Amino acid sequence: ENANHLQAQRDSLTQTLQETETRNRVLEVQLTEVEHQLETSHLEQEAFRKNLKTLLEILDGKIFELTELRDNLAKLIECS
Amino acid sequence: ENANHLQAQRDSLTQTLQETETRNRVLEVQLTEVEHQLETSHLEQEAFRKNLKTLLEILDGKIFELTELRDNLAKLIECS
Amino acid sequence: ENANHLQAQRDSLTQTLQETETRNRVLEVQLTEVEHQLETSHLEQEAFRKNLKTLLEILDGKIFELTELRDNLAKLIECS
Amino acid sequence: ENANHLQAQRDSLTQTLQETETRNRVLEVQLTEVEHQLETSHLEQEAFRKNLKTLLEILDGKIFELTELRDNLAKLIECS
C-alpha cells in the first residue's frame, strides 16, 4: 500500500516535471527570440543614427557653403 | 527495499522539479524584462521619429523661405 | 570803305556769336540731362544696394535658423 | 565817328565771342566727363549684376542640395 502510494507520487512528480521542462523550453525559445529582436532593434537604431550623422555632416557643409555665399554677397554690396 | 528505492526516486524528482521551477521563474522574470526593454526601445524610436519629422517640417520651411529669397534676388537682378 | 569793312566784320562776328551761343545752350541742356541720368543711376544703385542688404539680412536669419535646426538634430542623435 | 563806333562794337563782339567759346570748351569737357562717368556707372552695374547672377546660381545649387538632404532625411524616417 505504501509502495503504491509512493509510485503514484513518483508518477505525478514525473508528469509535473515534464510539463515544467516543456514550459522551460518554450520560455527559453521566447527569451532567445525577444533578445534577438532587441539586438536587431539596437543594431537598426545604430545604423539609423549613423545615417543621421552623415546627413548632419552634409547639413554642416551646406550651412558652411551658404555662409560663404552670404559673405560674398556682403562683399559685393560693400564694394559696389 | 522497493519502498526505499521509490522514496529515493520521489525525493530526487522533487528536488529536480524545484530546481526546474526556480529556473522557470528566473526565465519568466528575464522574459518580462527583455519584453519591457523592447517595448521601451520601440517607444523611444517612435518618439525619435516624431522629433525627426518635426525637424523635417522645419527644414521644409527653411527651404521654402530660401526659395522665396532666391526669387526676390532674381527679380531684383532682372529689374535693375 | 573802312566803315564797310568794319560793318562786315561786325555782322560776321554777330552771326558766329549767335551760333556759338546756340551751341552753348545745346551743350547746357545735354549736360543737365546727362547729370540727371547719372544722379538717377546713383539713386537706383543706392536703392538696389538697400534691397540687397535687406535680402542679406534675411539670408543671415535663414542661416541662423538652419544652424539651430542642425544643433537640434545633433542633440537628438546624441540623446537617442 | 561812325568808324570808331563800329570798331568798338567789333572789339566788344570779339571779346564776348572769346568768352562764349571758352565757356563752350568748358561745357564740352564737362559733358565728356559726365558721359564717361555714366558709362563707367553702367559698366559697373553690369559687372555687379553678373556677379549677383553667379551668386544666384550658387544659391540655386545650395537649395537643390538642401532639398536632396531633406528627401534623404524623409526616406530615412519612413524606412526606420
Side-chain angles (χ1 to χ4, degrees), chain B residues 45 49 52-53 55-56 59-60 63 66-67 69-71 73-74 76-78 80, chain D residues 45 49 52-53 55-56 59-60 63 66-67 69-71 73-74 76-78 80:
Chain B
Q45 250 174 305
R49 282 183 65 232
L52 282 175
K53 279 193 171 182
L55 288 188
L56 185 65
L59 183 56
D60 279 343
I63 291 172
L66 277 175
T67 305
L69 175 73
R70 178 243 168 267
D71 291 346
L73 181 56
L76 211 56
I77 295 172
E78 288 315 305
S80 74
Chain D
Q45 249 175 304
R49 280 183 68 233
L52 282 176
K53 278 193 172 182
L55 288 188
L56 185 66
L59 182 58
D60 278 343
I63 291 171
L66 277 175
T67 306
L69 175 72
R70 178 245 169 265
D71 291 345
L73 181 56
L76 211 56
I77 294 171
E78 289 315 306
S80 73

Side-chain angles (χ1 to χ4, degrees), chain A residues 11-27, chain B residues 17 20-21 24:
Chain A
D11 292 350
S12 171
L13 280 166
T14 300
Q15 197 183 330
T16 305
L17 181 60
Q18 279 172 354
E19 286 165 13
T20 306
E21 281 170 348
T22 299
R23 169 79 183 135
N24 233 326
R25 280 190 292 280
V26 166
L27 282 171
Chain B
L17 180 58
T20 306
E21 280 169 349
N24 229 324

Side-chain angles (χ1 to χ4, degrees), chain D:
Chain D
E1 197 184 8
N2 191 32
N4 283 350
H5 181 64
L6 282 167
Q7 204 161 349
Q9 280 192 320
R10 189 200 59 187
D11 293 349
S12 171
L13 280 165
T14 300
Q15 197 182 330
T16 304
L17 181 58
Q18 278 171 357
E19 287 165 12
T20 306
E21 281 171 347
T22 299
R23 169 83 183 129
N24 233 325
R25 281 192 291 279
V26 167
L27 283 171
E28 273 165 352
V29 165
Q30 285 183 335
L31 186 61
T32 303
E33 273 175 13
V34 178
E35 281 174 344
H36 182 69
Q37 285 173 32
L38 188 62
E39 198 194 344
T40 301
S41 178
H42 285 159
L43 288 174
E44 279 172 4
Q45 249 175 304
E46 200 48 48
F48 188 42
R49 280 183 68 233
K50 210 180 154 190
N51 283 327
L52 282 176
K53 278 193 172 182
T54 303
L55 288 188
L56 185 66
E57 279 166 30
I58 296 171
L59 182 58
D60 278 343
K62 295 310 136 202
I63 291 171
F64 179 78
E65 288 157 15
L66 277 175
T67 306
E68 278 188 323
L69 175 72
R70 178 245 169 265
D71 291 345
N72 286 333
L73 181 56
K75 272 183 222 156
L76 211 56
I77 294 171
E78 289 315 306
C79 295
S80 73

Side-chain angles (χ1 to χ4, degrees), chain C residues 2 4 11 17 22-23 26-27 33 39-40 42 50 60-62 68-69 73 79:
Chain C
N2 190 30
N4 282 351
D11 293 349
L17 182 58
T22 300
R23 168 80 184 134
V26 167
L27 282 172
E33 272 176 14
E39 198 195 343
T40 301
H42 284 159
K50 210 178 155 191
D60 279 342
K62 295 310 135 204
E68 279 188 322
L69 174 73
L73 181 56
C79 296

Side-chain angles (χ1 to χ4, degrees), chain A:
Chain A
E1 193 183 9
N2 190 28
N4 281 350
H5 182 61
L6 282 168
Q7 206 164 349
Q9 279 190 319
R10 190 200 59 187
D11 292 350
S12 171
L13 280 166
T14 300
Q15 197 183 330
T16 305
L17 181 60
Q18 279 172 354
E19 286 165 13
T20 306
E21 281 170 348
T22 299
R23 169 79 183 135
N24 233 326
R25 280 190 292 280
V26 166
L27 282 171
E28 274 164 353
V29 165
Q30 284 183 335
L31 185 61
T32 302
E33 272 175 11
V34 179
E35 278 173 345
H36 182 69
Q37 284 173 31
L38 187 61
E39 199 194 343
T40 301
S41 178
H42 285 158
L43 288 174
E44 279 172 5
Q45 249 174 307
E46 200 49 46
F48 188 42
R49 280 183 66 233
K50 211 178 154 190
N51 283 329
L52 282 175
K53 279 193 171 182
T54 302
L55 289 188
L56 184 65
E57 280 166 29
I58 296 171
L59 182 57
D60 278 343
K62 294 311 134 204
I63 291 171
F64 179 79
E65 288 157 14
L66 277 175
T67 306
E68 279 187 323
L69 174 72
R70 178 242 168 266
D71 291 345
N72 287 334
L73 181 56
K75 272 182 221 155
L76 211 57
I77 295 171
E78 288 315 305
C79 294
S80 75

